[in-house]
Amino acid sequence: MATKNDESDSGGALREPGRFRLLIGGEWAEGESGAYEIVNPATESPVGWAPEASAAQAEAAARAAKEAFPEWSRRAPEERSRLLRAAAARLREKQDELVGLVQAETGATMTVTRTMQVPFCANRFERYARGALEPNETPLPPVVTPAGSQGPGTISSGVAVRQPVGVVTCITSYNFPIVNMAGKMGPALAMGNCVVLKPAPQDPLAVIEVARVFDEVGFPRGVVNVVTGSGPEVGAVLTSSPDVDMVSFTGSTGVGVKIYEAGAATMKRLLLELGGKSANLVFDDADVEKAVRGSASVWTFHSGQICIAPTRLFVQRRLYEEFVERMAKFAAVLPVGDPLDRRTVLGPVISAAHRERIEAHIRSGRDEGAEIVAGGGRPTGIDRGFYVEPTLLAGGHNDMTVAREEIFGPVIVAIPFDDEEDGVALANDSEFGLHGYIWSGDEARALRVAKALRTGTVAINGGVQQHPDAPFGGFKMSGIGRDGGWYALDAYSERQSITWL
Ligand code: NAD
């Protein structure tokens, strides 16, 4: 089956060289190292050209942000709030244009792009337009010190003040390019920081358009900058530059470690949202129908390219065979193909290279003894695009490579467990600690298990965490720090204590 999503979807104007530029200190510039092509993962057709920034341009962006910081950080919160709200409104006006662009460069299904990518981005800016107005001062209770050898009795008072950090480099992974970036920009700007955006090489174009919106609605020069590049160099400059105070990073654990190391010499503040290998624990008292639907929909969501993908499916032994069979049946009838078709659930993965990595993982699972009970290859009848079938491996164990390493594709491995203790031990036996799923009819047990999981977030009897103000982040190798709601305002702040007698 050929996809319908051919060259016409991204529009000729987008493919004009120089259409997408860098924003550095209020000036739009072409990349000094040229430009590179962005490819539609569903059609393998060109979407547009992204600028290839030089190291000097990355440094210039950090410098521009530093120069803008004193004035921006002193602006009234009401003004920061007004500008964030204006950006959100303008993004909603440009919704149709942005949906087309995000869809083309990510290969996400049109349904996901239209309902989640663009609206969630605007929602985040609105949330932090409100966030800019939240109080930044927390009074400390007065403390009485009785008279003594140190002097007369005193009452001291104080206040803990949230202050902006300074220049924040925001580096993101591909998958939800503008939503992830908005989750960083929103709270950082609300708190009075200046930002340098470095989107993922694979899907940077819509982030450039978001920066354009911020420029259009009147953010001062240098407050929002964007630089792009096809390799790691631009990001590397921005994680070691002395002009950068904080790095907010979403991406793989391997790159997170490099950023930690690169930032040490200049003591960068870090917010690291890294990889995962989330456990999906299905107890034998669960509502099976609900658990199958919920588990399967997160397994295949965005072709498995989500950090909280439920890639280790632990099913209590009595239910194991039935559950695996039902999941395999679900995969067999799942609509795979053209992301522009409303019925499609599973589109392509981001690139040919990534598809090969996923296929190597499937092979390693089989070689280490697992059985492929669903998928395992490329869908038949699709002759263009980077597609992988939804794949379920069973009969494996938790020490297999496929159960230990992150895959970031529509591949999960099913493993039986005996009882609560066994299930928790298996779930926690991972270097990652991002998210966990629990399906059980006994809510008291589910809560007990949730607290025993060494993960930053847990969803009970539901697909993914729904609460927009909940803290989000990982334990162990899944990251450092928390964003989400109020927690993000805190993450992009320094705490200052002011005391007086
Ligand atoms: P990646 O780590 O390969 O790249 C992420 C970003 O880091 C890109 O912008 C890349 O250009 C940049 N980068 C690469 N090397 C760098 C360096 N040395 N210095 C600075 N920047 C550098 O990740 P990816 O393949 O784009 O995305 C997939 C990963 O992202 C998965 O591990 C996934 O779990 C993770 N992710 C995590 C979350 C979360 O919230 N925890 C959300 C989405 C994705």
Side-chain angles (χ1 to χ4, degrees):
M1 181 187 76
T3 63
K4 286 186 293 183
N5 186 5
D6 65 8
E7 291 188 20
S8 60
D9 60 40
S10 51
L14 297 182
R15 291 198 295 278
E16 282 168 18
R19 162 75 174 77
F20 296 96
R21 294 178 175 222
L22 309 171
L23 179 60
I24 301 172
E27 303 295 331
W28 289 94
E30 295 202 32
E32 282 175 355
S33 304
Y36 68 98
E37 201 171 50
I38 303 300
V39 171
N40 183 322
T43 62
E44 305 181 37
S45 306
V47 178
W49 293 89
E52 191 80 76
S54 64
Q57 285 179 307
E59 288 286 7
R63 211 163 39 245
K66 187 177 180 179
E67 282 163 14
F69 176 70
E71 198 272 332
W72 175 246
S73 58
R74 284 197 296 266
R75 284 240 176 155
E78 290 75 13
E79 176 65 0
R80 295 202 293 265
S81 174
R82 183 189 70 73
L83 285 167
L84 280 165
R85 208 177 300 282
R90 183 83 184 105
L91 280 167
R92 291 203 195 281
E93 283 166 18
K94 293 178 84 163
Q95 154 117 354
D96 288 346
E97 186 189 320
L98 274 169
V99 164
L101 182 57
V102 173
Q103 193 287 318
E105 65 178 341
T106 61
T109 64
M110 192 47 117
T111 311
V112 166
T113 316
R114 193 177 289 289
T115 59
M116 295 177 73
Q117 300 256 26
V118 179
F120 281 24
C121 172
N123 292 352
R124 286 188 161 181
F125 291 129
E126 273 159 8
R127 166 66 185 87
Y128 291 105
R130 296 197 301 279
L133 302 176
E134 288 178 26
N136 286 323
E137 294 173 8
T138 312
L140 303 169
V143 171
V144 177
T145 310
S149 56
Q150 302 288 310
T154 57
I155 303 175
S156 60
S157 301
V159 65
V161 184
R162 224 163 35 184
Q163 296 275 17
V165 183
V167 173
V168 183
T169 291
C170 303
I171 302 180
T172 46
S173 67
Y174 72 86
N175 74 348
F176 276 79
I178 59 174
V179 178
N180 285 343
M181 197 56 98
K184 299 180 183 309
M185 294 170 75
L189 293 168
M191 280 308 307
N193 301 285
C194 296
V195 295
V196 181
L197 314 179
K198 212 302 283 172
Q202 299 91 336
D203 54 14
L205 303 180
V207 170
I208 294 177
E209 291 308 288
V210 169
R212 193 187 304 282
V213 161
F214 277 68
D215 190 32
E216 281 169 11
V217 301
F219 272 77
R221 296 163 76 86
V223 173
V224 175
N225 306 273
V226 61
V227 285
T228 56
S230 59
E233 298 78 13
V234 172
V237 168
L238 290 168
T239 53
S240 53
S241 164
D243 291 336
V244 170
D245 301 286
M246 171 173 174
V247 179
S248 172
F249 173 72
T250 297
S252 63
T253 295
V255 173
V257 169
K258 286 187 189 158
I259 288 175
Y260 207 149
E261 287 167 354
T266 45
M267 205 57 74
K268 303 247 183 289
R269 275 63 185 139
L270 295 175
L271 178 61
L272 301 176
E273 305 281 4
L274 308 178
K277 193 75 198 172
S278 298
N280 184 14
L281 282 164
V282 185
F283 287 89
D284 63 11
D285 62 355
D287 175 336
V288 178
E289 180 56 32
K290 192 175 167 195
V292 168
R293 265 189 287 112
S295 302
S297 71
V298 205
W299 159 25
T300 51
F301 178 69
H302 210 23
S303 305
Q305 298 169 113
I306 55 167
C307 53
I308 57 167
T311 47
R312 293 182 301 145
L313 172 63
F314 295 113
V315 187
Q316 199 160 5
R317 207 170 289 278
R318 193 177 63 79
L319 186 60
Y320 179 78
E321 295 289 337
E322 178 194 342
F323 203 86
V324 168
E325 199 177 308
R326 290 175 77 157
M327 290 284 277
K329 275 193 184 142
F330 184 99
V333 296
L334 191 84
V336 179
D338 181 359
L340 296 184
D341 186 328
R342 282 181 185 282
R343 287 162 304 182
T344 298
V345 175
L346 194 97
V349 298
I350 193 74
S351 65
H354 189 49
R355 176 174 58 186
E356 275 165 30
R357 275 196 295 275
I358 295 169
E359 289 171 338
H361 271 292
I362 297 171
R363 279 195 301 278
S364 95
R366 201 192 44 216
D367 294 348
E368 289 181 41
E371 182 195 351
I372 297 172
V373 292
R378 299 182 185 183
T380 50
I382 300 181
D383 53 14
R384 278 196 298 168
F386 314 123
Y387 288 88
V388 181
E389 285 180 314
T391 299
L392 172 59
L393 299 164
H397 53 82
N398 201 36
D399 291 328
M400 294 167 51
T401 312
V402 79
R404 303 213 75 81
E405 293 183 5
E406 188 178 33
I407 301 175
F408 222 54
V411 181
I412 62 173
V413 53
I415 297 167
F417 70 91
D418 292 319
D419 54 19
E420 188 177 315
E421 197 182 337
D422 186 33
V424 168
L426 283 166
N428 283 338
D429 181 14
S430 169
E431 68 172 9
F432 296 105
L434 193 57
H435 188 67
Y437 302 82
I438 299 167
W439 303 90
S440 170
D442 178 345
E443 289 182 359
R445 192 243 304 263
L447 187 61
R448 188 168 64 235
V449 171
K451 288 183 182 172
L453 293 184
R454 301 289 299 154
T455 62
T457 54
V458 184
I460 295 174
N461 292 332
V464 288
Q465 178 183 277
Q466 296 292 338
H467 200 299
D469 272 354
F472 182 81
F475 284 21
K476 302 192 273 183
M477 295 299 275
S478 288
I480 294 179
R482 295 292 178 272
D483 66 11
W486 172 90
Y487 298 90
L489 295 170
D490 223 37
Y492 292 92
S493 309
E494 292 277 26
R495 284 280 183 188
Q496 180 184 49
S497 296
I498 303 175
T499 56
W500 57 88
L501 289 178

